[in-house]
C-alpha cells in the first residue's frame, strides 16, 4: 500500500499515513512485557516496516487498545502504557489509534490522557487517534480535544450506503454540538473512506468524498489501491475537494437545511469563502433545488463568486438576494465554493 500511495499519485495530493489495524501482534507479550509483532505477518518487524515507509516519504500508523485486550483479542495497553508508548516511538511509529475494548468506561477520562502524556514524553511526534467518545453516552468533547488529535465518536463504517448515510445523519444531528470542538490539531473522525470498494455507486462515492470534505474529516482510505477503479481513483485524487477538506481554518461544516431528501451543509473557509454542499440522499429522479443565497447564510452585500468544486467549473456571480437553481441526481451532490467579492 505504501508503494501504491506513491506510484498512484496519492502521496502527491496529501495522503501520507499507512495505518496497520488490529491483530498485528502475537497474542502474548514477551517475558519482559513487550509487544511483539507477529513474525509471520511482519517477518522483518515493525521497525523495518516503518523505515521502509519513511523511505517513501510516508508515515506509519499502528493500532492499540486502552483496555486489557484489543477488540480482536490481542494484548491491550492497560498497565503497559508507558512501555508501549516507548516501544511505538522506538519503532518509528507516527500515529497511534487507541481503541476502547475490554476496558471500563469510567476509566477512560483518566486513561486516554495518560497515554497522551506518555506519547508526548517520548519526544516523537505521534498523531493520537482516540476511540474514547465512541464508548461514552455523553462525551466530554472539550476534555477529549485536550488529549487527542482525532477521535472516533460513532459506529464503525461498513461498505454500504446505509452505513455512510447513518454516519452523516449522526453528524448532521450534531448532538452535544460536537462540531464546534473541531479545529487545527483536533478533529472529529467519522471513520474511513470506502471509495473504491463494492458497496457504493459512483454518485454515492462522490457523496462520501464531498461530505468528508465539508465535515473536516480525516481522509483515511479503506480499500485495495492495487485494484482501484479509475473513476473511484479520480474522486480520491480530486485536488479541489481535498483543498476544501484541508482548509487551514479547520472549521467543521454543519447541516443547515434538511427538507425530505435534500440537505444543505456549509463550512467556513479561509479567504472569506464558504463551502456549500447540496445533497440528495434518496429518491428515484433528479431533484430540482432553488434557494436564495441568504437562505444558506451567504449575506455579504457585494455578492459571491461560485465555483463547482469537483470540476472547477465557474457557476456565476450572485448577490445575496439572487437564487441559485441546481439539479441533483439521486445520492449525488453539488459542491460549490462561494468566494466573497
Amino acid at each position: 500500500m505504501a508503494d501504491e500511495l506513491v506510484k498512484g499519485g496519492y502521496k502527491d495530493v496529501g495522503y501520507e499515513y499507512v495505518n496497520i489495524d488490529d491483530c498485528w501482534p502475537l497474542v502474548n507479550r514477551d517475558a519482559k512485557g513487550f509487544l511483539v509483532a507477529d513474525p509471520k505477518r511482519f517477518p522483518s518487524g515493525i521497525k523495518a516496516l516503518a523505515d521502509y515507509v519513511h523511505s517513501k516519504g510516508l508515515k506509519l500508523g499502528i493500532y492499540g487498545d486502552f483496555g486489557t485486550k484489543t477488540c480482536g483479542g490481542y494484548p491491550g495497553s492497560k498497565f503497559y502504557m508507558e512501555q508501549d508508548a516507548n516501544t511505538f516511538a522506538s519503532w518509528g511509529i507516527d500515529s497511534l489509534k487507541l481503541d476502547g475494548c475490554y476496558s471500563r468506561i469510567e476509566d477512560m477520562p483518566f486513561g486516554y490522557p495518560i497515554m497522551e502524556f506518555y506519547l508526548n514524553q517520548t519526544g516523537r511526534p505521534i498523531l493520537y487517534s482516540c476511540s474514547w467518545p465512541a464508548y461514552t453516552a455523553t462525551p466530554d468533547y472539550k476534555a477529549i480535544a485536550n488529549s487527542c488529535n482525532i477521535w472516533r465518536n460513532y459506529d464503525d463504517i461498513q461498505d454500504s450506503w446505509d452505513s455512510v448515510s447513518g454516519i452523516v445523519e449522526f453528524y448532521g444531528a450534531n448532538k452535544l454540538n460536537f462540531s464546534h470542538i473541531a479545529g487545527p490539531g483536533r478533529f472529529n473522525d467519522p471513520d474511513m473512506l470506502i471509495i473504491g470498494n463494492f458497496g457504493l455507486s459512483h454518485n454515492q462515492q462522490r457523496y462520501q468524498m464531498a461530505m468528508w470534505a465539508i465535515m473536516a474529516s480525516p481522509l483515511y482510505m479503506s480499500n485495495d489501491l492495487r485494484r482501484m477503479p479509475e473513476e473511484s481513483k479520480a474522486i480520491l485524487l480530486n485536488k479541489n475537494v481535498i483543498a476544501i477538506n484541508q482548509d487551514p481554518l479547520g472549521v467543521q461544516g454543519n447541516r443547515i437545511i434538511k427538507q425530505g431528501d435534500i440537505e444543505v451543509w456549509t463550512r467556513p473557509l479561509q479567504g472569506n469563502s464558504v463551502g456549500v454542499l447540496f445533497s440528495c440522499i434518496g429518491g428515484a429522479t433528479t431533484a430540482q433545488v432553488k434557494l436564495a443565497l441568504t437562505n444558506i447564510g451567504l449575506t455579504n452585500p457585494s455578492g459571491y463568486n461560485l465555483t463547482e468544486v469537483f470540476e472547477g467549473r465557474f457557476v456565476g456571480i450572485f448577490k445575496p438576494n439572487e437564487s441559485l437553481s441546481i439539479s441533483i441526481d439521486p445520492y449525488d451532490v453539488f459542491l460549490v465554493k462561494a468566494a466573497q467579492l
Side-chain angles (χ1 to χ4, degrees), residues 71-331:
C71 298
Y74 293 81
S77 288
K78 197 166 189 178
F79 310 119
Y80 292 90
M81 288 193 180
E82 182 177 15
Q83 186 171 1
D84 289 353
N86 288 330
T87 296
F88 296 145
S90 71
W91 286 344
I93 291 297
D94 304 291
S95 173
L96 170 66
K97 176 185 175 179
L98 197 66
D99 216 328
C101 288
Y102 296 96
S103 64
R104 288 158 39 99
I105 293 173
E106 55 267 35
D107 290 343
M108 291 184 179
F110 308 99
Y112 277 95
I114 289 173
M115 180 57 93
E116 177 220 5
F117 173 80
Y118 286 130
L119 289 173
N120 287 336
Q121 286 293 104
T122 70
R124 180 173 182 79
I126 298 177
L127 186 149
Y128 188 29
S129 172
C130 303
S131 293
W132 178 0
Y135 291 87
T136 308
T138 55
D140 182 349
Y141 280 102
K142 184 176 181 180
I144 292 163
N146 282 339
S147 290
C148 307
N149 298 120
I150 59 177
W151 51 85
R152 289 282 312 285
N153 55 0
Y154 194 63
D155 297 341
D156 288 350
I157 198 167
Q158 305 298 320
D159 189 15
S160 73
W161 168 252
D162 286 346
S163 177
V164 171
S165 59
I167 291 169
V168 172
E169 177 54 35
F170 175 81
Y171 272 68
N174 195 25
K175 293 179 180 179
L176 302 179
N177 195 26
F178 60 82
S179 66
H180 84 283
I181 292 292
R186 55 183 196 278
F187 294 99
N188 294 287
D189 180 5
D191 210 0
M192 300 172 288
L193 297 170
I194 55 171
I195 297 164
N197 292 325
F198 306 100
L200 300 184
S201 69
H202 177 69
N203 283 358
Q204 291 166 349
Q205 292 180 70
R206 280 169 41 94
Y207 173 90
Q208 191 191 16
M209 189 71 180
M211 279 303 320
W212 265 232
I214 284 290
M215 297 190 303
S217 307
L219 300 182
Y220 289 122
M221 299 182 291
S222 178
N223 47 32
D224 187 344
L225 298 180
R226 298 166 299 181
R227 301 175 181 176
M228 179 64 62
E230 285 302 317
E231 64 177 13
S232 300
K233 182 177 180 180
I235 293 171
L236 291 165
L237 294 180
N238 191 294
K239 293 181 180 180
N240 295 335
V241 181
I242 292 172
I244 298 287
N245 173 266
Q246 295 287 300
D247 184 79
L249 292 183
V251 177
Q252 182 174 323
N254 284 290
R255 185 172 64 191
I256 61 170
I257 294 175
K258 180 177 175 63
Q259 295 180 352
D261 290 332
I262 301 300
E263 296 187 356
V264 182
W265 295 63
T266 59
R267 177 184 177 183
L269 305 172
Q270 71 172 355
N272 294 318
S273 297
V274 180
V276 184
L277 176 67
F278 301 85
S279 66
C280 179
I281 58 173
T285 60
T286 300
Q288 306 299 325
V289 179
K290 184 177 182 180
L291 284 172
L293 267 60
T294 52
N295 292 338
I296 54 177
L298 302 181
T299 58
N300 175 53
S302 299
Y304 296 85
N305 182 336
L306 268 58
T307 304
E308 193 280 327
V309 175
F310 273 95
E311 298 176 2
R313 174 173 51 84
F314 173 70
V315 176
I317 304 293
F318 292 82
K319 296 288 187 180
N321 61 344
E322 292 183 305
S323 293
L324 175 65
S325 297
I326 57 175
S327 300
I328 314 175
D329 291 336
Y331 306 104

